[in-house]
Amino acid sequence: MHKIFPEEGNLVRVEVSGKLTQTDYEALIPCWEQTITRHGTMRMLLVMEKFEGWEPGAAWDDFHFSFRHADKVEKIAVIGEKAWQKWLMKLGAFFLREDLKYFDSAELPQAERWISA
């Protein structure tokens, strides 16, 4: 399940819980693409609460979007609550994006400052 919050400039805030599905991405990807079209780039604040991961089709949609728009995504702040989330995001930052940063749920204010800078 996901919830998209109104953007501030090119910042998109998305809260996710449970398992993300391909149906979720049918709403998320157009939102992200509209932000990129309007502003040229996008920054994302992704808040994971009780997040369990992605269904296979959703994981593919996420990867495909990231690959196609890598040069249009300025940075991503991920707020999570589980060790596997932190590990996965650090791995992603190492291999895919240096501008992907993980924050524990208690560090939401720091994440908001970082993504806005």
Side-chain angles (χ1 to χ4, degrees):
M1 184 167 70
H2 74 277
K3 185 174 182 180
I4 303 169
F5 289 84
E7 62 187 76
E8 300 170 16
N10 73 340
L11 176 61
V12 176
R13 178 182 174 134
V14 179
E15 293 185 1
V16 296
S17 62
K19 192 168 274 201
L20 282 175
T21 66
Q22 202 159 9
T23 302
D24 289 317
Y25 277 88
E26 289 171 7
L28 291 168
I29 289 175
C31 171
W32 298 341
E33 289 175 337
Q34 288 171 6
T35 299
I36 290 169
T37 297
R38 273 195 299 262
H39 302 283
T41 61
M42 178 181 77
R43 291 174 292 129
M44 183 185 305
L45 180 64
L46 178 64
V47 181
M48 299 185 292
E49 187 174 317
K50 298 179 184 170
F51 182 62
E52 298 170 7
W54 298 261
E55 290 181 352
W60 171 253
D61 288 345
D62 189 65
F63 174 78
H64 190 246
F65 175 86
S66 297
F67 183 75
R68 285 186 330 169
H69 298 291
D71 62 332
K72 304 287 188 219
V73 179
E74 290 180 21
K75 54 184 171 176
I76 302 170
V78 178
I79 296 85
E81 57 191 7
K82 298 178 182 171
W84 71 264
Q85 295 167 344
K86 183 176 185 175
W87 178 85
L88 185 63
M89 293 306 130
K90 287 189 180 268
L91 186 65
F94 181 76
F95 285 107
L96 303 172
R97 312 186 59 90
E98 60 187 45
D99 49 4
L100 168 67
K101 190 168 180 182
Y102 177 87
F103 298 85
D104 288 319
S105 58
E107 299 175 308
L108 179 59
Q110 293 95 319
E112 291 172 330
R113 281 193 297 277
W114 181 81
I115 199 70
S116 296

